[in-house]
Amino acid sequence: MANTYAYMRISTREDREKQRFTRQENALAKFASDNKIEYVFQFREDVSGKSFKNRAEWQRLEKIVQPHDTIVFKDISRFTREAENGYKKYMDLMNNKVNLIFLDNPTVSTDYIKDLLNIADQQEIVTKTVMESMVKILLIAELARTERERETLSQRTKDGMKAHKEAAESRGEEWRVGRKPGQLDKMTKELQADIVLYLADRSVKAADLMRKHNISRNTFKKYVEKVKESM
């Protein structure tokens, strides 16, 4: 009998009290309820998605998953944040008849990819080759997107920190991280956008955002609560 497993992952270790699996749990629970399934086990871990090697829970899942079993993720970034090895792992699992479901990325769930490949297999050789290549590009592009997102945020954070520092120095002010305890200025649109991303993607580090916007931990927490309320 085929089994269904749930896998959840968060990765930020900077601010553990803010780490939550809530969004993933809610999405996975709704999927189970809507489809009248029950997860045999729900794997969860707090670790980077850059590699599969350092993920103990993922390795434990891989040891027990069997052909025709299903693994459900909220989105593909919970599966991996590396394009090349992510593609290899994806294909290995699909070729071993393990179903992968990404609730937020249905066009790269294995059932959808297999349907496209089956259609391609029925075509004459040129069309078949083109379609197979397009399917591969679709999958790799989505995996590459998750990898680029983190790189982009990291660079944007560094650029923001540099700009804040240069602006402070141009005014003859001392550059420092943080502000007076309890100080809460008007939230900028840029900070609000960064917090929304932080809440949605736990690879975003709270410490990086505090440095970028030159705010203290307590101030950052207050802003996070304000954004949560508005959401």
Side-chain angles (χ1 to χ4, degrees):
M1 181 177 177
N3 295 318
T4 301
Y5 301 94
Y7 179 82
M8 291 169 273
R9 184 185 62 78
I10 54 178
S11 60
T12 307
R13 296 178 177 275
E14 295 294 327
D15 193 7
R16 285 193 175 274
E17 70 269 22
K18 290 296 180 185
Q19 294 309 293
R20 296 289 185 271
F21 288 95
T22 306
R23 292 190 179 188
Q24 294 178 66
E25 288 173 338
N26 290 343
L28 292 167
K30 185 178 186 304
F31 176 81
S33 176
D34 291 347
N35 292 275
K36 295 180 173 56
I37 62 172
E38 183 175 349
Y39 299 118
V40 174
F41 197 83
Q42 298 190 40
F43 295 84
R44 65 187 69 197
E45 57 189 338
D46 181 352
V47 66
S48 170
K50 286 185 175 182
S51 172
F52 291 99
K53 295 180 180 179
N54 63 334
R55 294 156 62 178
E57 287 298 285
W58 173 260
Q59 291 178 7
R60 188 158 72 95
L61 172 56
E62 275 202 271
K63 288 179 180 178
I64 65 174
V65 71
Q66 299 293 318
H68 306 295
D69 284 350
T70 297
I71 307 174
V72 185
F73 310 78
K74 183 180 185 297
D75 60 77
I76 198 167
S77 67
R78 303 306 102 199
F79 170 60
T80 183
R81 278 195 174 278
E82 53 174 351
E84 185 174 352
N85 289 331
Y87 176 76
K88 291 177 181 177
K89 182 68 68 177
Y90 181 103
M91 295 305 297
D92 285 344
L93 290 166
M94 188 173 73
N95 290 335
N96 286 328
K97 296 181 170 57
V98 175
N99 299 315
L100 305 177
I101 295 177
F102 305 103
L103 303 182
D104 292 352
N105 315 98
T107 58
V108 288
S109 293
T110 50
D111 279 349
Y112 186 84
I113 295 297
K114 284 186 289 188
D115 284 345
L116 293 179
L117 291 174
N118 287 337
I119 294 172
D121 197 48
Q122 299 170 21
Q123 310 303 313
E124 50 87 20
I125 185 64
V126 174
T127 304
K128 175 183 177 181
T129 302
V130 171
M131 288 189 67
E132 287 176 342
S133 297
M134 290 177 64
V135 171
K136 182 176 181 180
I137 291 171
L138 168 67
L139 181 55
I140 292 178
E142 189 63 25
L143 290 167
R145 179 187 63 79
T146 63
E147 187 174 56
R148 288 195 304 271
E149 280 179 351
R150 192 178 191 286
E151 293 172 352
T152 299
L153 176 66
S154 177
Q155 186 59 49
R156 189 175 66 175
T157 299
K158 291 177 182 177
D159 292 344
M161 289 168 57
K162 181 180 179 182
H164 279 292
K165 181 178 180 181
E166 291 176 348
E169 290 175 345
S170 69
R171 296 191 298 268
E173 299 173 357
E174 180 184 359
W175 166 252
R176 61 187 177 87
V177 177
R179 300 184 180 184
K180 295 180 181 179
Q183 183 177 351
L184 192 63
D185 295 336
K186 183 178 179 180
M187 190 187 321
T188 65
K189 290 183 178 180
E190 182 183 9
L191 174 55
Q192 184 175 6
D194 282 347
I195 290 176
V196 170
L197 184 59
Y198 164 76
L199 292 171
D201 185 350
R202 293 311 185 182
S203 67
V204 179
K205 297 182 182 298
D208 287 343
L209 296 184
M210 286 186 283
R211 284 193 293 269
K212 175 182 176 181
H213 295 280
N214 191 26
I215 56 177
S216 69
R217 181 175 295 276
N218 286 337
T219 301
F220 179 74
K221 289 180 179 179
K222 292 176 182 178
Y223 281 136
V224 168
E225 291 305 316
K226 286 176 69 69
V227 172
K228 283 183 176 179
E229 291 173 4
S230 67
M231 294 172 67

